[in-house]
Amino acid sequence: MKTKLAIFLAILSSGTVINCSNVGIEEKIESIWQSDNPLLVSEVSIPVKSDPSFNWTPQSGKVDLGALKSGEKEPVLLTIGTGTAAGYRDGGLTRQGQLTSYPNLVARQMGLKNFNQAVFDKQNGNGTGYYLRQSDSELPSWSKVTNNLAYIDPEKNFFAPYSQGLVHNLSVPGNHPNSYQLNPKTTLLNEIQYRNNIPLPPYAMDANYLWTTGNLTNSLLSRVVHSEKQSVWEYLNSIQPDVAIVDINADVYIQSHIQGGQAGLLGPREVFWELNVINYLKKNNTKYVYATIPDVLDFPYFNWYNYKNLSSKLNKPIKIAVSEKDIQEANNRTIFLPTRKVIDLFNGNSENEYLTDLDIINEREASRPELYNNLFVAKWAKEYNHPLVDFYAIYKKILSGNYVTDDGYKIDPSYSHGNFFSADGIYPSAIGQAVLANEVIKVLNASYQSKIPLIDVGLYAKEMEKVK
């Protein structure tokens, strides 16, 4: 069982609102998620990456969209998703990441001109900041890019409001049911003021969960959903989509495991959220595809440290203090997280005799998505008659090393020299996004009589080399 502290951290990052008084003044406030991170070696300034040319994509209006289009007007494509669909990679959201998100690649292949995903301005194209992998390190370490960011305050909580039309990619890292039900700006202010009034104790920050999105979810949503809209749901009602991609809940799995393992997704809040999404699309007669959840514990992030490479450093059992009275031994099924204590253990610098339950995921805490995909996602596909994009199976094939694109490009899932995962070991690279885009296009074509061309991933990879 996780400690009360770990559960509290999970609740905070999930977007659960915390009621506080006197909220509404955006005074200078310290970020509640700042902590000393043993995996970060420096801060660096890097020029904003160039935009891809997209000169290889079909011309607008020249693609046979089959049943995805009715009438002469360009269909409206909406995406409801989490970090992957947003284009989050390398531990951050950037302009280039947004432009190479798989929903934007799908929109480009459909020949759509008006797919709006609130792309950061070029001068602020480093967005939230991101991480550069240090190639000379034995195990992962990073430098953080901190220039040309899109934040408007030095504490990095707020973005300038986006006002250039309705946004069609409502995907953000850490997206969660409460993110849509509540006003994101109010939620953000409440979270920040609460943590300023009641700081986390120092030992709580020793966990240093590298990719915890913290208040980023509501920061990004409040950029789009302004104060006149009470919630993301109200914002959605401004949009009448013709086509949609639904890719939700993967980040709930990712974050619960980053924070040490929780109970998974078999709870009423997620089901309520998903059924609300489905009913919203049905009300608008939207043609849509729905994605299953990949097995996130297969991702490199959860495999950097393991029983073999840690025990070889110690030459003695690895003990875990679940509580004062419950001391357990790790085994080869234990998943070790990149926390300060685990890193110290690997480096031979540990002064602590025990790891804690915050540092590992044991067998009882590892939440696999097979049951969820079968019990809910597949059931809804039959009940509501919508096609599935089976990201679970696609990721399994990629991670087995047996995935080759239709144009013959080999996809390598290895870390850190492969081409599918980005530097954070969780989210796809630009090439990985193209793979997912093609899988969505295949399902759209098979289900709605469209003839959307697939991305030539080899050609796309050559262009991304020019703008990396």
Side-chain angles (χ1 to χ4, degrees), residues 441-455:
I441 290 169
K442 290 175 187 177
V443 175
L444 289 171
N445 286 344
S447 305
Y448 296 111
Q449 302 82 53
S450 55
K451 296 180 181 177
I452 305 165
L454 296 178
I455 299 166

Side-chain angles (χ1 to χ4, degrees), residues 36-174:
D36 178 35
N37 195 317
L39 296 176
L40 297 181
V41 298
S42 64
E43 292 185 352
V44 294
S45 293
I46 299 292
V48 175
K49 293 180 180 180
S50 300
D51 295 351
S53 71
F54 293 110
N55 57 16
W56 40 269
T57 57
Q59 291 185 341
S60 176
K62 300 298 183 181
V63 178
D64 182 354
L65 297 177
L68 297 174
K69 183 179 180 181
S70 59
E72 296 301 316
K73 193 170 69 170
E74 177 179 295
V76 174
L77 171 65
L78 173 71
T79 300
I80 300 175
T82 55
T84 296
Y88 190 83
R89 70 172 188 252
D90 302 325
L93 185 64
T94 66
R95 176 182 174 91
Q96 192 186 89
Q98 292 174 303
L99 291 173
T100 56
S101 69
Y102 81 81
N104 192 50
L105 296 179
V106 171
R108 296 276 184 167
Q109 292 303 109
M110 291 176 68
L112 304 183
K113 293 187 300 183
N114 299 316
F115 183 68
N116 184 0
Q117 51 178 4
V119 174
F120 294 123
D121 295 336
K122 286 188 177 181
Q123 65 184 39
N124 302 317
N126 286 339
T128 66
Y130 62 99
Y131 297 89
L132 295 175
R133 171 78 153 83
Q134 300 300 298
S135 59
D136 59 347
S137 56
E138 182 181 3
L139 281 172
S141 63
W142 295 265
S143 295
K144 187 172 184 178
V145 176
T146 56
N147 65 299
N148 292 89
L149 305 186
Y151 296 100
I152 59 172
D153 72 318
E155 288 75 26
K156 301 180 180 179
N157 290 300
F158 298 102
F159 298 96
Y162 183 82
S163 58
Q164 300 176 40
L166 288 173
V167 175
H168 302 119
N169 191 351
L170 286 174
S171 304
V172 292

Side-chain angles (χ1 to χ4, degrees), residues 187-354:
T187 305
L188 175 63
L189 288 167
N190 286 350
E191 288 177 346
I192 293 167
Q193 181 162 323
Y194 183 87
R195 188 46 56 212
N196 282 343
N197 292 336
I198 309 176
L200 286 172
Y203 69 84
M205 302 313 296
D206 285 346
N208 285 311
Y209 299 119
L210 192 61
W211 312 121
T212 297
T213 53
N215 51 21
L216 181 59
T217 303
N218 286 305
S219 292
L220 288 168
L221 284 175
S222 63
R223 177 174 177 250
V224 173
V225 181
H226 304 158
S227 55
E228 68 271 13
K229 300 293 184 183
Q230 293 303 307
S231 68
V232 182
W233 283 119
E234 187 176 334
Y235 187 93
L236 272 172
N237 287 326
S238 306
I239 305 171
Q240 294 183 322
D242 301 293
V243 187
I245 301 168
V246 181
D247 179 10
I248 53 182
N249 277 329
D251 277 8
V252 179
Y253 263 93
I254 290 168
Q255 287 195 355
S256 70
H257 286 109
I258 284 176
Q259 293 157 348
Q262 305 296 329
L265 280 175
L266 298 178
R269 289 185 304 172
E270 287 77 16
V271 171
F272 177 76
W273 183 38
E274 292 162 343
L275 291 178
N276 272 348
V277 170
I278 291 171
N279 288 327
Y280 159 76
L281 296 172
K282 288 296 182 182
K283 180 184 71 174
N284 286 286
N285 295 314
T286 306
K287 298 175 176 66
Y288 65 99
V289 295
Y290 200 112
T292 58
I293 299 172
D295 191 347
V296 304
L297 290 177
D298 288 342
F299 295 177
Y301 178 92
F302 298 101
N303 296 282
W304 289 330
Y305 302 90
N306 55 57
Y307 182 74
K308 182 178 179 181
N309 65 23
L310 287 170
S311 59
S312 66
K313 301 278 185 175
L314 288 180
N315 294 316
K316 65 178 182 179
I318 301 171
K319 294 185 178 181
I320 303 158
V322 178
S323 68
E324 289 183 8
K325 296 181 180 180
D326 185 4
I327 307 298
Q328 301 176 2
E329 284 191 12
N331 55 48
N332 58 12
R333 295 180 297 278
T334 305
I335 296 171
F336 296 89
L337 297 167
T339 66
R340 176 175 292 281
K341 287 184 179 179
V342 171
I343 295 163
D344 284 346
L345 192 67
F346 182 84
N347 291 331
N349 301 325
S350 178
E351 297 179 359
N352 300 297
E353 185 178 356
Y354 305 119

Side-chain angles (χ1 to χ4, degrees), residues 168-184:
H168 302 119
N169 191 351
L170 286 174
S171 304
V172 292
N175 217 348
H176 187 273
N178 281 351
S179 305
Y180 273 41
Q181 293 170 339
L182 304 169
N183 181 276

